Amino acid sequence: MMRTDHVAVAVVSSLITSMIFFFLVTDRSTDPSLIHAKLLQQQPAPPPPVYVPTGLYEVPQIERSWIVTLAKIEVPTLVRMERRALTLEIAYYLLRKNILGDFVETGVFTGGTAILLMKSLHRWDDVQTNKRQLWACDSFEGLPAPDQKNDIQKEGPVAQGSFSASLETFSDNMKKYDAYDETRLHILKGWFSDTLPTAPITKISFLRLDGDLYVSTRDPLLALYHKVSRGGIVYVDDYNSYEGCKRAVDEFRAQHNITSPLIPQRYPEPNDWYEAVYWYVE
């Protein structure tokens, strides 16, 4: 992928947050069975399309509406709506560009963004040639013990076991939103240092990291980064929220001479702030 494409993506991505407020519908029902009905009622969104990373694809109106509608539904997650939309937009791009490899999420918590990833596979993946898989990785015991050297937060340390959700909770939520697809879903339960090095994942197109802390961000990068296809995307949900997460990413990129730009997803307020970043694997 050309560097000019990356610049185009950054420009379009920076518009996403501002645009999304203009074409959200007002009904805030959380019933997943109403998604199709909502789409039929959706008013046309203003141009430009939500996500056209390379200019090679124009996102049809119905897909733009689908992305926004699904991102708006209150799935069980702490991830803000803007980042839910970006997750779907990245999935759309990778599938339409036919970047080979499965989707992998490390840190699935209660399943909210895993639901979105599975929905995107159901809608956009070419099952005749690929049928990509979704790997959902989590300890299901909350966060690991913070690294005393690297996990430094101004408001104090994050406690071990924070953000804990059981495997049963995750599975129930996936089923509730009709996203528990046994032909595609693989659940890896355990600490990342134990499960990921030997996981039978061969190729990755979308590596979505949501581990919050230093170790739970570093370990997936060490175990899985070399499996990400060229042109694939690594997304880090908490890069600018947790110092340990940021340090793990910065160290890994420096140690492996990764120069592909980090692209932040900025919020319109406060003060152009951001949490998530992503980059292309070159």
Side-chain angles (χ1 to χ4, degrees):
M1 179 178 295
M2 299 298 292
R3 183 59 55 86
T4 54
D5 293 338
H6 299 173
V7 174
V9 173
V11 172
V12 175
S13 180
S14 68
L15 294 174
I16 292 169
T17 303
S18 298
M19 290 169 52
I20 201 167
F21 293 106
F22 289 96
F23 50 83
L24 289 177
V25 293
T26 55
D27 180 19
R28 298 190 61 79
S29 172
T30 61
D31 186 349
S33 67
L34 297 179
I35 291 177
H36 182 66
K38 284 174 174 290
L39 286 174
L40 296 178
Q41 299 169 4
Q42 190 78 23
Q43 297 300 312
V50 172
Y51 201 66
V52 189
T54 65
L56 298 177
Y57 297 102
E58 289 191 5
V59 182
Q61 173 63 44
I62 189 63
E63 303 302 345
R64 281 184 275 161
S65 296
W66 188 84
I67 286 172
V68 173
T69 301
L70 189 57
K72 175 179 168 288
I73 290 174
E74 298 293 344
V75 292
T77 181
L78 298 177
V79 176
R80 280 179 55 155
M81 180 194 63
E82 297 91 339
R83 304 203 310 278
R84 300 200 296 268
L86 180 58
T87 294
L88 288 166
E89 290 151 8
I90 290 173
Y92 178 88
Y93 162 72
L94 293 168
L95 293 171
R96 283 296 175 262
K97 282 286 288 184
N98 197 28
I99 304 299
L100 297 181
D102 294 338
F103 287 4
V104 179
E105 182 172 27
T106 60
V108 297
F109 191 36
T110 50
T113 49
I115 291 168
L116 303 183
L117 292 172
M118 185 63 80
K119 292 289 187 182
S120 69
L121 289 173
H122 284 164
R123 187 172 182 88
W124 296 316
D125 195 21
D126 183 355
V127 296
Q128 300 300 320
T129 59
N130 291 305
K131 196 164 187 181
R132 293 169 177 83
Q133 305 295 293
L134 172 61
W135 299 80
C137 314
D138 204 293
S139 69
F140 297 105
E141 297 179 28
L143 294 176
D147 183 285
Q148 297 301 314
K149 177 182 177 182
N150 292 295
D151 288 312
I152 302 171
Q153 294 293 110
K154 293 180 180 178
E155 59 272 22
V158 180
Q160 180 176 356
S162 297
F163 306 120
S164 176
S166 68
L167 175 57
E168 181 180 13
T169 296
F170 170 81
S171 299
D172 286 348
N173 285 332
M174 294 290 284
K175 292 172 183 176
K176 175 182 177 181
Y177 287 82
D178 195 25
Y180 196 95
D181 184 343
E182 293 182 347
T183 69
R184 289 179 179 265
L185 180 62
H186 305 268
I187 301 173
L188 297 181
K189 181 181 186 300
W191 302 114
F192 297 153
S193 58
D194 296 328
T195 60
L196 297 182
T198 58
I201 303 170
T202 57
K203 194 177 289 295
I204 300 169
S205 58
F206 191 177
L207 179 56
R208 190 183 190 283
L209 307 180
D210 197 355
D212 298 356
L213 301 183
Y214 179 82
V215 168
S216 44
T217 302
R218 179 202 64 189
D219 288 350
L221 286 170
L222 290 173
L224 300 176
Y225 189 79
H226 67 283
K227 297 182 178 183
V228 181
S229 298
R230 184 178 182 184
I233 289 179
V234 177
Y235 168 103
V236 187
D237 194 66
D238 300 297
Y239 177 83
N240 205 36
S241 299
Y242 291 92
E243 181 62 27
C245 174
K246 184 177 187 296
R247 290 188 182 186
V249 171
D250 291 347
E251 287 179 7
F252 183 86
R253 283 169 53 90
Q255 291 166 0
H256 293 80
N257 299 312
I258 298 171
T259 58
S260 179
L262 280 178
I263 304 172
Q265 185 199 29
R266 298 189 181 277
Y267 301 134
E269 56 183 50
N271 302 322
D272 208 27
W273 185 63
Y274 69 95
E275 294 177 270
V277 298
Y278 62 98
W279 76 89
Y280 292 89
V281 175
E282 297 179 326

